Amino acid sequence: MSKITLTETAKVLLAAKSVIIASHINPDGDAIGSSLALMHTMTKLGKDARVFIDDAIPSIFAFLPGAEKIERPPETITEKLRPDLFVILDASLDRVSRVRELVDAPTLNIDHHVSNDGAADKLYLDADRAATAEIIYELVKEMNAEFDYENALPLYTGIATDSGFFRYANTKPFTMRAAAELMEYGVKPNLVSEATEVKPFAVVKGLGAALSAAEIFHDGLAAGIFLDYPTVKELETTEGFIDEIRVIEGVDVAVLVKCQGENMCRVSMRSKTLDVAKIAMKFGGGGHVRAAGCTLKTSFDEAKKIITEELNRALSEEVA
Ligand code: 5GP
Ligand code: MN
């Protein structure tokens, strides 16, 4: 792996005639937004560009131009795709699932996660950026490409969703300036928040039930929502649930554990001070200091026990 600069990254992109862009499973607004914006920009530069994500695309992102063009690897991969360049956005190579088996090409990884594993051939990592979409915004300029509604809307969406609509600690003057400039191309912030925050009635009721069952521990420094498999099965999404307990007075760390199968529990963490990326990485996950996640291949009860114990330990150490 070699770490490269923004200028070198732009050159690598410009040198390719065909690219396959991939992002992580459990795709969020930044994964989808930065992928679509780069695909559109590369296409306008006359290149052959495709996006592959090995997961379902949440319906809340269907409003993004080009969302319908996102492809998924076939059930059985019989033939490898060989573009000039394989670009992995917003995650390390290990989180693109089967796209890795589908594509055989030199890899360029563009990311803002401190936990990036550095496995790609070339890496452009800027952990000070609130979103990978901010980096793509910089690259559009660096490549002397143009902004229009088709790349501005997904870029704005990536930046807005990853910064909690400009509320999280990762929001910098740069974040706001980039967003303001993207608005010049017709982006309407109210429409982006309406589209991405819409929830089915059943999910809002599920949120109510999850909040009723929420727990606080470690003298009120931690709050948790723990959802077993039958509960999760009834919910289309748990997006935003963790934000509702993050705000509890005195809470530093919020955790959401949701079991998606027999021995498959997803963990999301948010914090004000504790380094949750460190905890997630301990369990093979990753993320940022204040927002991270991992998957525990254990039963629901075991996952709940493991993560509460780990948070109790980390919070004791921090105070000590
Ligand atoms: P979320 O809790 O919203 O799923 O994720 C919070 C942050 O942690 C995001 O930046 C996300 O990319 C990262 N993250 C979540 N789960 C994982 C994981 O299993 N592995 C890695 N490397 N990062 C994760
Ligand atoms: Mn991101």
Side-chain angles (χ1 to χ4, degrees):
M1 184 272 295
S2 69
K3 285 202 170 190
I4 59 173
T5 64
L6 188 76
T7 309
E8 286 164 342
T9 307
K11 280 193 185 137
V12 172
L13 287 168
L14 287 170
K17 285 202 184 73
S18 57
V19 293
I20 284 180
I21 299 158
S23 194
H24 57 82
I25 51 166
N26 295 313
D28 54 15
D30 190 28
I32 295 166
S34 42
S35 298
L36 291 177
L38 183 61
M39 174 170 73
H40 178 74
T41 307
M42 294 295 274
T43 306
K44 268 189 78 175
L45 288 169
K47 299 166 189 305
D48 179 23
R50 296 166 75 177
V51 174
F52 279 87
I53 293 178
D54 192 13
D55 211 339
I57 304 300
S59 58
I60 52 168
F61 298 116
F63 77 106
L64 291 175
E68 72 289 350
K69 293 189 193 136
I70 298 176
E71 301 173 69
R72 217 174 157 164
E75 203 70 22
T76 42
I77 298 170
T78 49
E79 213 180 322
K80 296 234 182 216
L81 299 177
R82 294 191 170 80
D84 294 340
L85 187 65
F86 180 23
V87 187
I88 302 95
L89 298 180
D90 197 42
S92 311
L93 252 176
D94 66 338
R95 290 194 71 215
V96 303
S97 194
R98 292 178 317 123
V99 187
R100 197 174 181 174
E101 293 153 40
L102 178 71
V103 184
D104 182 13
T107 50
L108 166 66
N109 193 182
I110 302 170
D111 194 11
H112 71 131
H113 291 94
V114 275
S115 56
N116 190 289
D117 67 6
D121 300 324
K122 291 191 166 77
L123 170 67
Y124 180 68
L125 176 69
D126 187 349
D128 289 330
R129 291 291 174 236
T132 299
E134 282 187 7
I135 305 175
I136 304 301
Y137 158 89
E138 291 182 289
L139 282 168
V140 170
K141 295 187 165 189
E142 196 67 34
M143 291 193 291
N144 281 318
E146 283 171 2
F147 289 112
D148 55 23
Y149 187 69
E150 275 69 31
N151 57 14
L153 182 60
L155 287 177
Y156 179 93
T157 303
I159 295 171
T161 52
D162 257 28
S163 66
F165 286 86
F166 313 100
R167 288 172 304 168
Y168 300 157
N170 58 6
T171 307
K172 309 273 164 62
F174 180 91
T175 311
M176 298 241 174
R177 286 198 187 97
E181 188 179 344
L182 294 168
M183 280 183 68
E184 306 284 357
Y185 298 90
V187 176
K188 300 270 184 287
N190 61 313
L191 297 186
V192 174
S193 95
E194 279 162 28
T196 56
E197 292 176 322
V198 70
K199 288 180 176 65
F201 184 46
V203 171
V204 174
K205 301 269 262 189
L207 172 62
L211 290 179
S212 295
E215 299 175 25
I216 58 171
F217 52 102
H218 207 90
D219 293 332
L221 275 175
I225 289 177
F226 305 95
L227 305 171
D228 59 13
Y229 183 51
T231 310
V232 173
K233 234 172 44 180
E234 296 302 314
L235 293 169
E236 198 177 298
T237 175
T238 56
E239 197 59 47
F241 281 28
I242 197 166
D243 295 309
E244 301 296 330
I245 55 168
R246 205 169 60 83
V247 299
I248 298 170
E249 209 168 21
V251 162
D252 186 75
V253 193
V255 61
L256 171 80
V257 175
K258 56 170 188 175
C259 282
Q260 297 177 314
E262 185 91 357
N263 280 317
M264 185 64 75
C265 296
R266 283 280 315 153
V267 178
S268 279
M269 292 175 285
R270 301 288 182 270
S271 87
K272 295 203 179 83
T273 59
L274 194 74
D275 186 348
V276 286
K278 213 159 89 181
I279 296 173
M281 284 164 84
K282 244 188 180 171
F283 299 107
H288 311 280
V289 173
R290 294 188 174 87
C294 56
T295 300
L296 297 177
K297 290 185 176 142
T298 63
S299 68
F300 173 64
D301 291 338
E302 190 66 13
K304 182 175 172 182
K305 186 165 168 274
I306 290 172
I307 211 72
T308 358
E309 279 179 4
E310 190 58 36
L311 286 174
N312 277 326
R313 210 190 43 72
L315 284 165
S316 304
E317 268 179 17
E318 195 187 54
V319 173

